[in-house]
């Protein structure tokens, strides 16, 4: 009997146990694997196969939630009412099961793609139609699998022409083409194995292969158009093109469609679906109102305008820019902009997803995964700012943090070999600059370091305990003890595998100028695995999947948050090695990631709230635009050339805190005296004790406004924040004339309630823009908003958790601050005293925060912000989010 690939064995194992009730334990699955292996011809690692099967079985996917437009009549139930032969989608689902997806996960994906298809138009409808939608996924969470499922269903339903716009880089387009070949076309488009049956084409007899006009090497071009010639209707099967989001490509496609398919400037008999992957990148019109739309946006809209029957569906994990598209924007030639007027669908992350919450928000897992890079390193590019990293040249020493990350990768590869994962891809990400020459220099230094380590290993690995007398062996031992002492293996076992681990490591530079390709599929076809260190910049920042990503090292940063989150290639699925994953980042980036992770979850929560309220995408866009915290996540680059911007703020459901604090001891003492004064008079009410201080219930909002007027946060940015809070409280006063006040006492022994002095909370802070900066931009600890809630309110918060859990079964079953905020249902002022950990004076710094309830139809307040506010709140605008390519020369200074 021949050797059975692990993927096939895991798929068979998963199918056998995924429907058992209760679900089997890992020991049960490994035992079944042991019994089956001889009969199925599998001679690989049973432990590895068991781990992969368990992850697949335990993975659950929620259905997600959508909000829909009501301006255009639409029956979303047409998918159930019409008789449709699900040929392509059934084959696709069969392929996913063969690849090891559990039956329950495949079924949930099937249900979601059917719901998304229902938001599109029935393609046989005779009238003209134009639908626009947006699907919000998670970074590296399976968006491609989802939209390929939608493509398959659309083809089954009768869509004749399908365009997949796959990002702005060649490697991402090629990777997406390969996925489309496997999951939809059923034939390889690679020049090496062209027309060979792959994926779905191997599973169904007489599979009706769609026509693809692009391949893994060649994008659509003028030459393709000339060779293709005829009309879409000349083909009996659906036609698909996978193109790069590139102006020349879009022009060539438009010309072919216009010249060979349009009659009187319109294509009237071809239902068309355009999938825009990474829809927030380059697709959005960011131009001023008095100039033409940006070119990419223009050409996408021009292609859509050719078809009298078209659907546009954008896919992104960072949808902020898409939501801020003007829904009323119109151009005479290319018609409506790409605002998702008809539907916004928010996908739920699978339960096994290694995502932002696990990496940045959960304290236990964050401590294991994150490695904040030390700011006092003085070697290599570590001591310079991002604007100067582009001066790095070969021969300069690599920073110690990168050497430690490389050591960790070599050791992690050994542990994966020990776990039987020799046939699994294993990758490391190194993203330090968008400059090509820097990437090449870094590759050279990493190559030299790897050779030194490899030589040391070959000379010393058999010496046992004496290896520590060698510098590089001692480093590897230290990496094992530092990172993987709890990995259920020994240093001796790691030693035995080090020669094999280092032998298979390959280095790649991945950028728009490079001809090196991370072709994991080629290794899959040979039944082998790739162990890669990928060095790059912008090409590694968006869309590209690094298979088996274990160690991530990033120096590059950006203060535009959607760009920052897309750089997180480390998100995804890590079956059998999640405990080995490490992410090396600057401390500032860690704080930004945590912040944007929270804001993204806020966005998803708001979609659920608006779904319950029957709101439309347009109403959602208007709501989001009044939240400048969220607006600046994507649009702060628009402030580069202006001094002042007036924003409309809606603080409903928000927590606004003075997370930038003054260093002035006299000012801090004055603020403490102010707190003591109002505490002494009880804010006009009698205090009640809580677990961490006192609460004053039903304080007159005018008393709080008076207090906030006198409170001096020193920094201009915080003055602007407090003014916004005062204005919003004033607007809400008719609805909420009273609010609660919490005095939150820390465990330090420097408080004295008889003297109206709060016990302080010791916190680590860093100096920033002339003051102190709170970690992760948070003053209140998670759960502080629970303090002082009544039993009835606590019960209500649990009801809200149950409600949210019903909407998304994968959400935590524990209340969060959002639930406590909703249960309190009135504004809350929180007052803290922070003691700076490690400061010479151990100085105390008062801080405050105001939590607002969720208010339907809440008023907005106007606030003028400036570059000082932006810099103090979010840091400098060092990296330009509009850059689309890695570059050969140093980028021009931003002005």
């Amino acid at each position: 009997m021949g050797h059975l690939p692990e993927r096939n064995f895991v798929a068979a194992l998963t199918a056998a146990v995924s429907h058992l009730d209760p679900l089997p334990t890992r020991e049960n699955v490994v035992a079944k694997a042991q019994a089956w292996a001889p009969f199925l011809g599998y001679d690989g690692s049973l432990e590895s196969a068991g781990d992969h099967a368990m992850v697949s079985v335990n993975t659950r996917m929620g259905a997600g939630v959508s909000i829909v437009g009501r301006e255009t009549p639409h029956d979303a139930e047409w998918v159930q009412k019409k008789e449709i032969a699900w040929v392509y989608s059934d084959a696709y689902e069969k392929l996913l099961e063969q690849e090891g997806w559990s039956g329950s996960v495949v079924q949930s994906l099937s249900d979601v793609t059917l719901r998304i298809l229902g938001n599109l138009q029935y393609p046989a409808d005779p009238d003209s139609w134009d639908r626009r939608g947006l699907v919000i996924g998670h970074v590296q969470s399976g968006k491609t699998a989802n939209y390929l499922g939608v493509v398959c269903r659309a083809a089954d339903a009768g869509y004749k022409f399908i365009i997949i716009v796959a990002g702005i880089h060649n490697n991402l387009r090629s990777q997406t083409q390969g996925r489309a070949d496997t999951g939809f076309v059923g034939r390889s488009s690679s020049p090496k194995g062209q027309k060979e049956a792959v994926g779905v084409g191997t599973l169904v007899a007489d599979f009706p292969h769609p026509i693809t006009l692009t391949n893994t090497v060649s994008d659509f071009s003028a030459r393709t158009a000339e060779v293709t010639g005829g009309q879409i209707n000349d083909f009996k099967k659906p036609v698909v093109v996978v193109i790069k989001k590139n102006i020349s490509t879009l022009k060539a496609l438009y010309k072919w469609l216009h010249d060979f398919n349009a009659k009187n400037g319109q294509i009237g008999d071809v239902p068309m679906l355009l999938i825009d992957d990474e829809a927030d990148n380059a697709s959005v019109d960011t131009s001023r109102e008095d100039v033409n739309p940006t070119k990419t946006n223009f050409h996408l809209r021009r292609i859509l305008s050719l078809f009298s029957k078209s659907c546009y569906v954008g896919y992104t994990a960072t949808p902020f820019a898409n939501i801020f598209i003007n829904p009323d924007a119109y151009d005479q030639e290319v018609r409506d902009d790409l605002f998702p007027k008809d539907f916004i669908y928010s996908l739920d992350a699978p339960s096994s997803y290694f995502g932002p919450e696990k990496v940045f928000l959960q304290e236990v897992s964050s401590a294991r995964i994150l490695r904040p890079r030390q700011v006092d390193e003085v070697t290599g590019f570590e001591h310079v700012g991002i604007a100067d990293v582009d001066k790095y040249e070969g021969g300069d020493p690599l920073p110690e943090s990168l050497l430690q990350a490389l050591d960790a990768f070599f050791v992690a590869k050994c542990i994966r070999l020990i776990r039987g994962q020799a046939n699994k891809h294993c990758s490391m990400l190194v993203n330090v600059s968008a400059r090509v020459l820097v990437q090449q220099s870094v590759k050279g230094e990493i190559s030299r370091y790897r050779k030194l380590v490899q030589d040391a290993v070959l000379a010393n690995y058999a010496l046992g305990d004496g290896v520590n007398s060698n510098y590089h062996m001692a480093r590897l031992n230290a990496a094992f003890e530092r990172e993987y002492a709890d990995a259920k293996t020994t240093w001796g076992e790691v030693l035995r595998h080090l020669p094999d681990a280092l032998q298979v490591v390959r280095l790649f530079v991945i950028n728009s100028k490079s001809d090196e390709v991370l072709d994991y599929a080629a290794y899959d076809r040979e039944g082998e695995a790739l162990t890669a260190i990928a060095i790059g910049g912008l090409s590694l920042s968006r869309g590209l999947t690094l298979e088996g990503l274990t160690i991530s090292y990033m120096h590059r940063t950006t203060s535009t948050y959607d760009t920052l989150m897309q750089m997180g290639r480390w998100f995804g699925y890590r079956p059998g090695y999640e405990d080995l994953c490490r992410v090396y980042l600057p401390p500032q980036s860690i704080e930004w990631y945590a912040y944007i992770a929270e804001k993204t979850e806020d966005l998803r929560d708001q979609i659920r709230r608006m779904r319950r309220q029957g709101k439309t995408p347009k109403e959602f866009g208007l709501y989001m635009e009044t939240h400048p915290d969220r607006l600046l996540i994507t649009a702060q680059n628009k402030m580069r050339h202006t001094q002042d911007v007036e924003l409309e703020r809606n603080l409903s459901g928000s927590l606004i805190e003075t997370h930038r604090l003054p260093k002035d001891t006299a000012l801090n003492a004055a603020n403490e005296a102010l707190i003591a004064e109002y505490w002494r008079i009880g804010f006009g009410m009698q205090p009640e004790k809580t677990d961490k201080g006192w609460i004053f219930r039903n304080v007159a909002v005018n008393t709080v406004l008076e207090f906030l007027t006198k409170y001096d946060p020193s920094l201009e940015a915080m003055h602007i924040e407090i003014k916004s809070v005062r204005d919003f409280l004033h607007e809400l006063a008719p609805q909420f004339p009273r609010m609660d006040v919490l005095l939150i006492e820390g465990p330090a022994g420097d408080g004295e309630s008889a003297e109206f002095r709060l016990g302080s909370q010791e916190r680590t802070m860093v100096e920033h823009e002339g003051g102190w900066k709170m970690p992760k931009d948070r003053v209140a600890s998670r759960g502080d908003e629970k303090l002082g809630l009544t039993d009835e309110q606590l019960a209500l918060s649990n009801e809200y958790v149950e409600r949210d859990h019903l909407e998304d079964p994968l959400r935590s079953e524990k209340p969060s601050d959002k639930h406590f905020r909703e249960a309190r249902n009135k504004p809350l002022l929180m007052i803290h005293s922070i003691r700076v950990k490690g400061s010479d004076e151990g100085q105390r710094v008062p801080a405050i925060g105001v939590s607002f309830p969720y208010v339907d139809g809440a008023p907005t307040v106007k606030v003028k912000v400036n570059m000082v506010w932006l810099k103090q709140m979010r840091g400098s605008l060092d990296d330009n989010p509009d850059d689309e390519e890695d570059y050969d020369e140093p980028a021009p200074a931003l002005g």
Side-chain angles (χ1 to χ4, degrees), residues 681-844:
I681 65 171
F683 283 87
M685 307 300 294
Q686 288 297 316
E688 299 174 25
K689 200 77 175 69
T690 72
D691 293 339
K692 290 174 64 176
W694 295 265
I695 184 170
F696 300 85
R697 299 187 191 277
N698 296 316
V699 174
V701 75
N702 286 336
T703 301
V704 174
L705 287 171
E706 182 183 88
F707 169 83
L708 292 175
T709 301
K710 296 177 181 178
Y711 186 89
D712 186 356
S714 177
L715 296 177
E716 182 176 356
M718 292 296 98
H719 272 294
I720 292 173
E721 291 295 279
I722 290 179
K723 182 181 185 303
S724 293
V725 166
R726 292 202 313 265
D727 291 346
F728 200 64
L729 282 173
H730 180 76
E731 291 292 330
L732 292 182
Q735 188 174 353
F736 298 100
R738 293 189 173 273
M739 58 188 292
D740 293 340
V741 176
L742 273 174
L743 300 183
I744 300 177
E745 182 156 59
D750 57 353
E752 179 52 67
S753 60
E755 298 178 7
F756 306 103
R757 177 181 169 92
L758 274 177
S760 62
Q761 308 164 47
E762 187 176 66
R763 306 282 278 276
T764 299
M765 290 193 279
V766 297
E767 296 184 53
H768 176 81
E769 296 293 329
W772 296 111
K773 181 179 181 298
M774 293 295 296
K776 297 186 178 180
D777 292 346
R778 283 292 299 255
V779 177
S781 300
R782 298 186 189 282
D784 279 355
E785 293 187 58
K786 178 182 179 180
L787 297 171
L789 288 181
T790 65
D791 291 342
E792 291 79 7
Q793 288 171 327
L794 289 172
L796 194 58
S797 68
N798 286 318
E799 288 181 19
Y800 293 143
V801 174
E802 292 175 10
R803 175 203 65 199
D804 290 346
H805 193 62
L806 285 173
E807 291 181 348
D808 177 7
L810 306 183
R811 296 189 65 169
S812 171
E813 297 183 57
K814 296 181 179 180
S816 68
D817 285 332
K818 298 170 188 174
H819 298 114
F820 300 139
R821 195 172 303 160
E822 198 170 1
R824 189 183 298 276
N825 198 29
K826 71 173 73 166
L828 170 71
L829 169 66
M830 293 182 283
I831 298 175
H832 313 258
S833 179
I834 308 299
R835 187 154 56 89
V836 184
K837 186 175 182 179
S839 65
D840 294 338
E841 305 84 2
Q843 62 174 286
R844 293 161 50 92

Side-chain angles (χ1 to χ4, degrees), residues 666-677:
L667 177 63
N668 287 325
N671 283 332
E672 280 211 280
L674 179 70
I675 294 168
E677 174 189 342

Side-chain angles (χ1 to χ4, degrees), residues 255-276:
K255 180 174 175 55
W256 175 67
L257 290 168
H258 182 274
D259 292 353
F260 290 96
N261 292 272
K263 296 178 181 178
N264 299 318
Q266 280 277 289
I267 302 174
D269 54 352
V270 178
M272 186 272 275
L273 170 63
L274 191 155
I275 300 288
D276 185 3

Side-chain angles (χ1 to χ4, degrees), residues 165 167-168 243-247 276-279 281-283 296:
V165 185
I168 62 175
I243 64 174
K244 191 163 81 262
K245 201 175 297 185
N246 174 277
I247 293 170
D276 185 3
D277 194 11
E278 307 296 342
N281 190 29
S283 299
T296 303

Side-chain angles (χ1 to χ4, degrees), residues 166-170 172 244-246 281-282 542 883-885:
I168 62 175
H169 298 295
N170 287 324
L172 176 55
K244 191 163 81 262
K245 201 175 297 185
N246 174 277
N281 190 29
R542 188 179 275 271
D883 286 338
E884 295 187 2
E885 298 285 349

